Amino acid sequence: MALTGSERLPELVGLALRSGNPKRAHLLVSSVLGKHVPQRPAVVHGAGLELGRRVRELLGGEAAARAVVLGYAETATGLGHSVADGLDAPYLHSTRRPVSGIPPLGGFEEEHSHATGHLLLPVDPGLLGGGGPLVLVDDELSTGRTVLNTIRELHDRHPRDHYLVVSLVDLRSAEDRHRLAAAVAELGARLDVVATASGGVDLPEDIVARAERLIAAVPPTAPPPVVDPAPLVRVELDWPAGLPDGGRHGFTARDRERLDAVLPALAEQLASALAGAEAPSGTAERVLVLGFEELMYAPLRLAEALAQRLGGDRVRYSTTTRSPVLAVDDPGYAIRTRLAFPAHDDPQDGGSRERYVYNVAPGADGVRRFDAVVLVVDDVADTPALHQGEYALLRQLRQVTGRVLLAVLPSHRPALPAPLYGPAFSSYRPEEVAWLLKDLSEVRLEAPTEEREEAVQNGGAHYAESLPVEYRPSPEYQELFHQALRGSADRIALAVGTVAETLLRERGPGLVLASLARAGTPVGILVRRWLAFAHGLDVPHYAVSIVRGRGIDRVALRYLAAHHRAADVVFVDGWTGKGAITRELADALTGTGFDPDLAVLADPGRCVRTYGTRDDFLIPSACLNSTVSGLVSRTVLRAGLIGPDDFHGAKHYAELAGGDVSEAFLAAVAARFGDVRAQAVEGAERLAADPDRTPDWAGWAAVERISAEYGIDDVNLVKPGVGETTRVLLRRVPWRVLARRGTGTDLDHVRLLAAQRGVPVEEVDGLPYSCVGLIHPRYSRGATGASGLAVRGRES
């Protein structure tokens, strides 16, 4: 094996042989990464800072201010963070450690690695969605396949026009360079590569076979002589509450400021502990700060601060690793010594997997390399396996150095807000539903419909940033609601029972209901009441927000994942229109572990698998706004009101209690449960026996046809079904209503609302829905598009 290329390449890396990895025989061992070779911390941090400053110069000030840095676990987590420091950009690194309560935003594969799966677990999903340049950082760029996998995965979710790949060394072949550049160009994006050095590795064709023979021929490393274990001192660092220990869930400019401010005090604590620890050799002249796998950056910055505090050239830095590498005690070989120890952080690949620390133990000459080791781990890794057992890491470190200090950092666990409950928030009983929402009741968010939509149009705002004025129904309209409820209670009860029995059959008694606020919430309560009535079950029920174009509430998902198995959660809504929210939900839940199969009472759009009926009939809760939904508004998502650790928001209209019919609706439907129980069980059995419940999206096709026939250039201006048509008349600026000829009393409330607003109702043939509402194109901007930022349509 030999390195070729730029003069700096041999200064940056050496070569070693991997053990136990049939995919790749060699390993590039960086001298400036701080992973396998202990190095001065200023050198390690400085290598990343230099790359970050080069990226800033390449981007320019405006683009650099919008950039986000993504580092790769485990080896490049510290390097990527250092690049982000040099660029002064927010940072996230991939991880191989699933974290309870944080559903993955996505993931990708590192094909040549011994541990391939990468997860992305940002607390704020908007971190990767800003559209600015994305800077991907790895320690080496060998083929570019991992980078390409990442770009393709993220581009599907958050397209952008500029990617930068940053690495210490770029060892790609000309073919690899062309393949990566062409693939990114196909996405319509620009690609830049920034590396400290470039070149290649000359490998014989039979490198794997040669490596296996060489590894087999190397005699096993003799165990170090047994000595009295060095003192072990636990150092309780004053780590600031809420400060992330790294970039696993994101690291912001504010986090960087907090860490920089506290580092001198933390270094003083370490220095005092070193001075106070007893050791046979006296003063610790050579100190190693040893990080832990992905936990590279915090130990690096502690080591850098400690080096400044102690002065001289006394401190080195490196970390433990998952990478199995052959150790040969030869001056020309990069990995001289190795300690192997059991994994101690309950990893997903099993506790029996070995971990390693290199170039820390003495060599054949028996000379101690370090007088003291400061081991820095997070609290997840501070387990009995770290301390106990013949080969535990702490036990082995105490055999090879004069003293050991253990500093345990709190693994960052983003705080979760508490749910809201009635009667303080909503008129529903507290056991009926937990609202995963932020209370915005004291915030003025309403405006008249026309004013609101015009303002949104002119400002390009999102429809979820404000609220329409709550419609106060007239006595005539309220009577229509009660008539509709009396006429449809049996039908609704049957649909509720069919859905509940289907969910119980397919998901089991441990299911958790998550209704889509707000229209899904009374449906979720009814399903919950059915399960209690028919089966004696007391199932949890939550209301969560989903916003077209912005996805589901990620903080709510974190809450659900922290308290329940994701596989047990069932998302519930009232009905489907053309299926926009169904698609939004499926996209938002990709890679999270949650099942995107939405359960609804009525599926006229034919876009879900679990439904009570596919007929388009009136569910009376669609007739009203908050007064049939627990006095809760539609949900709100607006910067300045909703932070990255907040649930989406909503208002509780307690002043409308005099017209509240929420409980009357629930009680009227629940009173019919006994009458329809047998039919509901039969309906669930028929649904289970259906060989193909795959949605055919016939409703979406019909909407596209209607859009073309009426000269509307955006299907999002077409709201199919009686429920969606009602919403158009209550919340939007309606243009006209299409009613299927011959539809009877199900549309009485629609006709009344249309008459009150001066909207024509056009009787048509061949309509797959009972009615369709068309939003006036003139007011469509910002309120009706697929992203919530709609286009202008043609007026009639």
Side-chain angles (χ1 to χ4, degrees):
M1 298 187 295
L3 294 169
T4 62
S6 61
E7 294 181 0
R8 291 199 64 183
L9 192 60
E11 301 174 11
L12 296 172
V13 295
L15 290 168
L17 292 176
R18 297 176 184 264
S19 60
N21 187 343
K23 301 178 182 179
R24 201 176 187 194
H26 72 285
L27 174 74
L28 292 177
V29 180
S30 172
S31 60
V32 299
L33 186 64
K35 176 56 76 170
H36 303 88
V37 177
Q39 178 59 273
R40 293 192 301 275
V43 172
V44 178
H45 194 209
L49 289 173
E50 176 191 351
L51 286 167
R53 291 165 185 150
R54 287 177 59 187
V55 172
R56 170 170 284 278
E57 183 178 348
L58 174 63
L59 287 174
E62 188 276 332
R66 297 184 296 112
V68 177
V69 179
L70 174 63
Y72 286 94
E74 68 176 272
T75 308
T77 58
L79 176 65
H81 211 141
S82 300
V83 171
D85 287 350
L87 182 56
D88 194 21
Y91 178 62
L92 174 74
H93 70 69
S94 66
T95 181
R96 294 190 175 105
R97 179 199 285 178
V99 178
S100 176
I102 310 290
L105 184 64
F108 50 88
E109 295 296 313
E110 184 178 4
E111 295 169 9
H112 66 263
S113 174
H114 60 282
T116 59
H118 288 251
L119 301 172
L120 296 177
L121 304 177
V123 170
D124 179 8
L127 184 67
L128 295 176
L134 181 63
V135 183
L136 300 113
V137 182
D138 209 349
D139 58 312
E140 65 175 88
L141 192 56
S142 53
T143 65
R145 290 192 184 96
T146 301
V147 166
L148 183 55
N149 289 343
T150 310
I151 290 175
R152 283 174 170 163
E153 165 76 17
L154 295 179
H155 198 82
D156 285 343
R157 291 174 171 269
H158 303 294
R160 62 189 76 229
D161 57 13
H162 195 180
Y163 294 91
L164 298 95
V165 180
V166 177
S167 183
L168 289 172
V169 293
D170 182 359
L171 304 177
R172 292 174 298 157
S173 66
E175 180 182 355
D176 290 331
R177 292 169 187 261
H178 174 75
R179 180 175 58 250
L180 179 59
V184 175
E186 287 179 4
L187 299 175
R190 169 186 168 188
L191 176 70
D192 286 304
V193 177
V194 177
T196 305
S198 60
V201 182
D202 285 342
L203 299 172
E205 292 185 2
D206 60 344
I207 178 64
V208 174
R210 288 193 187 189
E212 290 176 350
R213 291 195 296 270
L214 179 58
I215 291 170
V218 172
T221 303
V226 177
V227 298
D228 291 336
L232 172 63
V233 177
R234 180 182 285 266
V235 184
E236 302 294 341
L237 293 180
D238 295 327
W239 190 263
L243 177 63
D245 58 321
R248 181 179 286 116
H249 307 304
F251 199 92
T252 66
R254 173 60 181 149
D255 296 328
R256 187 175 292 118
E257 292 174 2
R258 292 185 68 198
L259 178 60
D260 288 344
V262 77
L263 277 172
L266 297 176
E268 183 63 36
Q269 287 184 272
L270 290 177
S272 298
L274 283 168
E278 297 181 0
S281 57
T283 303
E285 292 295 332
R286 298 164 300 170
V287 178
L288 173 69
V289 176
L290 183 64
F292 155 67
E293 295 188 27
E294 294 176 10
L295 186 66
M296 296 185 68
Y297 180 74
L300 169 61
R301 299 301 308 280
L302 287 169
E304 191 175 28
L306 181 63
Q308 294 170 358
R309 168 63 180 78
L310 296 180
D313 190 27
R314 297 168 55 185
V315 178
R316 294 294 184 271
Y317 159 81
S318 66
T319 73
T320 67
T321 175
R322 294 182 173 211
S323 301
V325 186
L326 178 69
V328 179
D329 193 12
D330 183 280
Y333 188 71
I335 302 297
R336 302 286 298 275
T337 66
R338 176 176 100 162
L339 296 177
F341 54 93
H344 53 89
D345 65 332
D346 192 22
Q348 292 297 300
D349 55 7
S352 62
R353 284 288 298 270
E354 281 189 328
R355 302 295 189 253
Y356 311 93
V357 57
Y358 297 106
N359 295 326
V360 173
D365 58 8
V367 176
R368 188 181 282 165
R369 293 173 181 263
F370 298 101
D371 300 308
V373 173
V374 180
L375 176 62
V376 183
V377 302
D378 60 22
D379 53 18
V380 176
D382 185 22
T383 63
L386 175 66
H387 298 259
Q388 301 170 7
E390 182 179 358
Y391 297 103
L393 175 58
L394 279 176
R395 182 183 178 92
Q396 294 196 67
L397 290 177
R398 295 175 69 187
Q399 293 289 321
V400 299
T401 188
R403 70 192 76 175
V404 176
L405 274 62
L406 175 63
V408 180
L409 303 183
S411 181
H412 185 48
R413 295 172 177 85
L416 286 168
L420 301 173
Y421 298 91
F425 185 89
S426 90
S427 60
Y428 292 133
R429 298 195 298 269
E431 67 272 16
E432 298 266 44
V433 58
W435 299 87
L436 302 186
L437 295 174
K438 179 179 180 179
D439 189 355
L440 301 179
S441 299
E442 303 305 316
V443 182
R444 187 179 182 278
L445 294 166
E446 297 83 2
T449 302
E450 289 80 1
E451 176 186 324
R452 173 176 172 268
E453 294 198 359
E454 279 190 304
V456 173
Q457 173 179 346
N458 293 334
H462 192 280
Y463 79 91
E465 295 178 357
S466 61
L467 292 172
V469 175
E470 277 290 305
Y471 177 75
R472 292 178 180 267
S474 65
E476 182 183 12
Y477 188 78
Q478 283 183 316
E479 178 55 31
L480 279 179
F481 163 79
H482 289 291
Q483 288 178 9
L485 180 56
R486 287 191 293 269
S488 61
D490 283 325
R491 198 172 185 184
I492 299 167
L494 176 57
V496 168
T498 302
V499 168
E501 294 294 333
T502 300
L503 292 176
L504 187 61
R505 175 191 295 265
E506 296 183 350
R507 305 293 287 273
L511 60 86
V512 176
L513 300 174
S515 57
L516 302 184
R518 69 182 164 185
T521 306
V523 176
I525 293 175
L526 285 170
V527 171
R528 182 181 183 276
R529 288 190 181 186
W530 179 281
L531 293 170
F533 155 77
H535 302 282
L537 296 176
D538 183 12
V539 302
H541 174 218
Y542 301 90
V544 302
S545 169
I546 187 168
V547 176
R548 191 176 67 249
R550 296 189 178 179
I552 199 164
D553 186 340
R554 298 285 300 187
V555 180
L557 287 189
R558 283 171 45 205
Y559 186 94
L560 291 172
H563 292 81
H564 305 282
R565 288 197 327 135
D568 291 335
V569 177
V570 179
F571 292 91
V572 178
D573 206 358
W575 59 86
T576 64
K578 57 182 170 291
I581 288 297
T582 306
R583 290 182 170 178
E584 189 81 44
L585 182 67
D587 290 344
L589 296 181
T590 300
T592 65
F594 289 95
D595 189 338
D597 185 17
L598 182 64
V600 299
L601 299 189
D603 180 35
R606 302 182 67 86
C607 52
V608 301
R609 294 183 65 258
T610 304
Y611 51 85
T613 178
R614 278 183 163 158
D615 294 338
D616 183 21
F617 78 99
L618 174 62
I619 299 173
S621 58
C623 292
L624 302 172
N625 283 337
S626 67
T627 53
V628 78
S629 302
L631 301 180
V632 174
S633 75
R634 184 182 49 71
T635 60
V636 174
L637 180 58
R638 191 169 91 185
L641 294 176
I642 307 300
D645 294 326
D646 290 332
F647 296 135
H648 292 185
K651 298 184 72 167
H652 174 209
Y653 293 115
E655 67 274 17
L656 299 181
D660 187 17
V661 294
S662 302
E663 177 57 33
F665 170 71
L666 297 174
V669 175
R672 307 300 206 281
F673 284 173
D675 297 335
V676 302
R677 182 174 183 178
Q679 291 174 269
V681 172
E682 291 174 5
E685 290 174 349
R686 283 195 301 272
L687 205 59
D690 189 341
D692 186 9
R693 288 155 55 191
T694 303
D696 60 17
W697 297 89
W700 190 278
V703 167
E704 290 180 324
R705 175 179 57 80
I706 293 169
S707 178
E709 287 180 3
Y710 283 83
I712 300 174
D713 61 0
D714 183 4
V715 295
N716 291 285
L717 304 179
V718 181
K719 300 296 184 180
V722 62
E724 294 304 305
T725 300
T726 303
R727 288 180 170 189
V728 169
L729 292 166
L730 292 175
R731 299 187 195 170
R732 306 296 194 215
V733 178
W735 182 31
R736 66 182 67 183
V737 172
L738 309 181
R740 185 171 59 207
R741 196 180 307 280
T743 303
T745 57
D746 271 357
L747 296 189
D748 283 352
H749 78 290
V750 169
R751 293 188 178 95
L752 177 60
L753 281 176
Q756 290 176 345
R757 301 200 62 181
V759 177
V761 177
E762 183 178 332
E763 302 278 338
V764 297
D765 295 312
L767 200 63
Y769 299 91
S770 63
C771 61
V772 174
L774 305 183
I775 295 173
H776 203 302
R778 185 175 60 187
Y779 296 99
S780 64
R781 183 192 296 267
T784 56
S787 67
L789 302 171
V791 300
R792 183 187 296 274
R794 287 194 291 272
E795 289 190 67
S796 63

